[in-house]
Amino acid sequence: MTSSRLALPALCASAALVASTVGLVAAPAQAEPTDAPSSSAACETYPADQLEEGQEVTGLTTAGVTPGRPSSKVEPESFTGTYLDTLRSDDGDTLVFDLKGSRITKADGTIDAGVWSGMSGSPVYAADGRLIGAVAYTFGGSQGSSIAGVTPAAALQALRANGGQAPASIRLTSREKNRLVAAGADRSELGTGARSIKPVTAITLPSSLGRGYASIAKRAGNTARTVIAGASGGAAADAPIVAGGNLAVADSYGSIASYALGTASLVCDGDVVGFGHPMEFANAQRTLHNASTALIQADGGESYKLANLGAPQGTLLHDGLAGVFGRLGALPLTTTVTSTASSDGKPARTYLSSVPNPDALAEIAATHAYRDAALAQDQLAGGESLVTWTVKGTSTVNGKPVEMRRTDRYSRRDYLAEFVGTGVASNIEALQDNPFSNIDVTDVTIDDTLTSPYKALKVTAAERYDTKKRRWVKLREGGTITATKGRTIKLRITLDRANRYSKATKRYVTTEVRPASTAIGTGRIVITGGNTNNWDDEDYYYDDFAPWDDEDYYYDDEDELSLPAKQPTSAQGVADQLANDVRNDDLLVSQDYFTKPSKRSSKRVLVNQDKRLRQTSIVDGLLYFRVRYR
């Protein structure tokens, strides 16, 4: 028996790998920014050591739509602030301000939303227009706070040279608390220290699909992003990225947008710096976007921004400790994911996303397949899915195209949609991790046809036709068959319903195997359902090695009746092996035996004869028989 199913590596983390090169293409005309909209003064740094206690400052941010106030969806609005003190550290100083206005405080000065997630990066300016720094930290416990820690402008400017430092969090000493209170801070707002204002990390999915998406993210080794409604192109599509406006850094955009959202701190000479602290991912190939703020969801200390992602306008270059840095204009090369899904004969719908981050491609493709199957079913139900996917790319070694096309069948009692993307994601990972060549994947297409009944079969029995008695004789599982060399063994295999929930119809499959006239000793016949060794369990996803890294993958010394799997010698060879892998609806019948040594060699010759019999339902189960040749 040849082990034809290709064991696949685990989905890798979204940003676990650093892209070795970043391919760039021109940004679309509607997304190309004009000259940086910030003034020359705003691109200059105000020295932090010149700040004085009580000094008044202004800032810019976007707060969306608030009843009774002018909207600030794309165009930034101003807030004010008062300098309190500086927290000094070898990790980098943090400037402390008490902020007022926008949605931070109400008109009477009481806390409104406080300093919210997504406000990170909001620029703070001196009276002469020079940049003091970017909002990066908030204080307080469970309640919102108007006290903010600001990353100095010098650290932001250093990011343009891929430098800059900023601490992840700041713990206040009693002395520092007393200094800040003396300067006008409310002790209740200070809490135990300062915490980083996280950018809003989001993926645009229906909230009902959060559980399944969290499972996919876990398999990919990631923490699930917040599931929110949203779109990739709205009012912000044609608006340039400006200081104080929204800044999103995206793994994908389009039908499914996966991104981190904060505020742009400075836009100077085509350079963009934002967030005021790290996005907390490794460097990866991502796009820069504007966004249209819908609203600030005020929820005590966990207030956050909701927005619609705009068109891509540039490329992320560095995710540093003091913030993120990128450049406007050229966009990174992206992979287009196109998914079409239909259920029970209803009209098919097609969805499209662009994925600039190759390390996120498998996760986004799996999420695409999952989301689209659920939308086609209009529920999280069981049933059957026949999926065809194609992955196209180009070898970076020789420039040759690499293409893989595969079809497989899935059937589940419930939550079928969660498993539809399993093969797609695993194949993408296997292609990306092949040892022969990096692949620039250009297109992933997924075509899914779903039907309602759950149908699954199981191998339950096998019979051999007795030519003398002219009748079928049941074989005992694990027993020994006596066979005549060179004579056909006729088998009838019973495929029954896998369980009481299955709507599949019991059937019998007849096939033949024939040992060579030179067969010797004891061989075997193995009958297996293709779904028996599927990769749906979590242990498979957490198996973090590529199969070709394990020398036992190609040859199992413990099984003398198995030939080593044929080793691919190129990226296209890996693609071909994946495409021809055993399907879940295959019935495999294998006969393995030795023949007599030939005249040219004194060694026995191992023979593997494999048959794949395609069924109309997934097939589970396994039967094993010894065969003695006479």
Side-chain angles (χ1 to χ4, degrees):
M1 177 172 60
T2 303
S3 179
S4 56
R5 180 180 287 277
L6 180 60
L8 304 175
L11 299 179
C12 69
S14 171
L17 304 176
V18 178
S20 58
T21 59
V22 178
L24 299 176
V25 296
Q30 69 271 22
E32 286 185 358
T34 55
D35 292 337
S38 52
S39 67
S40 57
C43 289
E44 295 180 11
T45 298
Y46 185 91
D49 58 6
Q50 292 183 15
L51 287 168
E52 297 180 356
E53 183 179 321
Q55 183 172 332
E56 299 294 323
V57 298
T58 59
L60 293 174
T61 197
T62 59
V65 178
T66 305
R69 299 174 58 251
S71 66
S72 172
K73 300 174 73 173
V74 178
E75 294 294 329
E77 67 179 15
S78 64
F79 58 86
T80 62
T82 304
Y83 172 67
L84 300 180
D85 209 334
T86 296
L87 302 175
R88 305 191 185 280
S89 169
D90 291 340
D91 296 328
D93 294 345
T94 299
L95 316 176
V96 184
F97 290 82
D98 187 5
L99 305 181
K100 306 292 181 185
S102 187
R103 285 294 309 282
I104 306 166
T105 59
K106 298 177 182 177
D108 61 3
T110 59
I111 298 296
D112 186 355
V115 179
W116 61 82
S117 294
M119 189 179 177
S120 51
S122 298
V124 175
Y125 301 104
D128 61 6
R130 285 184 291 172
L131 180 66
I132 294 172
V135 174
Y137 305 93
T138 187
F139 296 81
S142 60
Q143 299 299 316
S145 172
S146 64
I147 305 297
V150 170
T151 298
L156 303 178
Q157 293 286 8
L159 268 175
R160 298 171 73 180
N162 284 1
Q165 299 288 318
S169 62
I170 305 161
R171 188 169 184 84
L172 297 178
T173 64
S174 297
R175 181 180 179 182
E176 288 169 334
K177 281 187 182 181
N178 292 335
R179 281 166 43 206
L180 293 175
V181 170
D186 186 333
R187 185 175 293 274
S188 65
E189 286 191 75
L190 297 178
T192 60
R195 63 185 185 277
S196 173
I197 308 170
K198 303 293 184 185
V200 177
T201 57
I203 187 166
T204 53
L205 291 171
S207 60
S208 57
L209 303 186
R211 188 191 79 90
Y213 161 67
S215 177
I216 291 171
K218 180 180 178 181
R219 291 172 179 175
N222 294 335
T223 301
R225 297 187 178 184
T226 303
V227 171
I228 63 170
S232 64
D238 295 323
I241 295 172
V242 298
N246 288 306
L247 174 64
V249 180
D251 281 330
S252 69
Y253 57 92
S255 183
I256 291 181
S258 181
Y259 56 91
L261 173 67
T263 304
S265 307
L266 64 86
V267 181
C268 301
D269 300 323
D271 290 346
V272 179
V273 175
F275 294 7
H277 52 73
M279 192 167 66
E280 297 185 347
F281 297 116
N283 280 354
Q285 188 168 292
R286 295 183 169 102
T287 43
L288 304 180
H289 301 250
N290 198 338
S292 175
T293 302
L295 56 93
I296 304 303
Q297 177 62 47
D299 189 16
E302 300 298 326
S303 300
Y304 55 93
K305 177 191 296 185
L306 293 174
N308 288 311
L309 205 64
Q313 299 188 30
T315 299
L316 177 71
L317 298 179
H318 184 61
D319 182 11
L321 294 176
V324 296
F325 165 59
R327 179 168 287 277
L328 298 173
L331 303 179
L333 296 173
T334 62
T335 302
T336 301
V337 177
T338 306
S339 177
T340 302
S342 63
S343 179
D344 291 316
K346 290 179 286 190
R349 295 185 61 183
T350 298
Y351 308 88
L352 187 147
S353 295
S354 297
V355 184
N357 182 5
D359 303 328
L361 179 58
E363 180 187 345
I364 297 300
T367 304
H368 233 292
Y370 159 57
R371 190 278 310 268
D372 301 345
L375 293 181
Q377 286 186 306
D378 193 29
Q379 56 185 220
L380 292 169
E384 186 172 83
S385 167
L386 188 64
V387 194
T388 298
W389 61 90
T390 304
V391 182
K392 295 181 179 180
T394 303
S395 167
T396 59
V397 172
N398 54 27
K400 292 183 178 180
V402 177
E403 180 173 343
M404 191 221 68
R405 179 180 174 86
R406 177 171 172 79
T407 299
D408 210 342
R409 192 183 301 270
Y410 299 87
S411 197
R412 303 282 300 183
R413 279 184 54 201
D414 50 22
Y415 295 105
L416 169 66
E418 290 185 27
F419 294 87
V420 170
T422 299
V424 183
S426 297
N427 282 180
I428 290 171
E429 282 294 338
L431 281 175
Q432 289 180 321
D433 289 346
N434 85 84
F436 308 106
S437 169
N438 288 335
I439 298 175
D440 287 332
V441 180
T442 54
D443 295 279
V444 175
T445 58
I446 307 166
D447 192 348
D448 188 10
T449 302
L450 301 109
T451 52
S452 293
Y454 157 63
K455 296 187 295 181
L457 294 166
K458 185 176 181 179
V459 178
T460 58
E463 301 165 287
R464 178 186 182 185
Y465 188 72
D466 190 320
T467 55
K468 292 183 179 180
K469 297 180 181 180
R470 295 186 179 182
R471 64 183 177 87
W472 292 101
V473 179
K474 187 173 181 179
L475 299 174
R476 180 174 61 86
E477 160 66 8
T480 300
I481 303 170
T482 300
T484 302
K485 304 172 186 179
R487 294 286 185 87
T488 298
I489 304 172
K490 191 173 184 179
L491 300 171
R492 184 168 69 178
I493 303 163
T494 303
L495 300 181
D496 210 342
R497 292 189 304 162
N499 51 56
R500 63 190 178 92
Y501 304 101
S502 173
K503 302 301 181 183
T505 303
K506 181 178 180 178
R507 69 190 66 177
Y508 300 92
V509 178
T510 302
T511 189
E512 296 178 347
V513 296
R514 184 173 182 171
S517 59
T518 54
I520 59 174
T522 300
R524 69 184 175 195
I525 292 176
V526 183
I527 302 170
T528 313
N531 194 59
T532 302
N533 295 319
N534 64 31
W535 308 108
D536 288 346
D537 60 276
E538 289 189 357
D539 288 341
Y540 158 64
Y541 286 101
Y542 290 104
D543 187 5
D544 59 358
F545 67 90
W548 32 78
D549 290 340
D550 181 2
E551 60 186 23
D552 290 337
Y553 169 70
Y554 292 111
Y555 191 84
D556 185 351
D557 292 332
E558 296 180 0
D559 185 0
E560 65 173 4
L561 285 172
S562 286
L563 282 169
K566 185 178 180 181
Q567 182 175 354
T569 58
S570 65
Q572 184 59 54
V574 173
D576 293 340
Q577 192 165 358
L578 293 167
N580 295 318
D581 199 2
V582 176
R583 283 175 41 161
N584 296 326
D585 53 4
D586 280 339
L587 175 65
L588 284 75
V589 180
S590 301
Q591 181 184 206
D592 311 311
Y593 58 91
F594 286 101
T595 63
K596 295 178 181 179
S598 65
K599 294 180 180 180
R600 297 181 179 180
S601 174
S602 60
K603 294 183 179 180
R604 300 176 301 172
V605 178
L606 177 59
V607 177
N608 291 152
Q609 296 174 337
D610 298 328
K611 283 188 175 183
R612 294 191 198 179
L613 307 173
R614 185 66 41 79
Q615 306 302 306
T616 57
S617 302
I618 65 170
V619 184
D620 294 312
L622 180 148
L623 295 175
Y624 176 96
F625 307 99
R626 294 181 179 86
V627 183
R628 182 177 295 116
Y629 303 100
R630 63 183 181 186

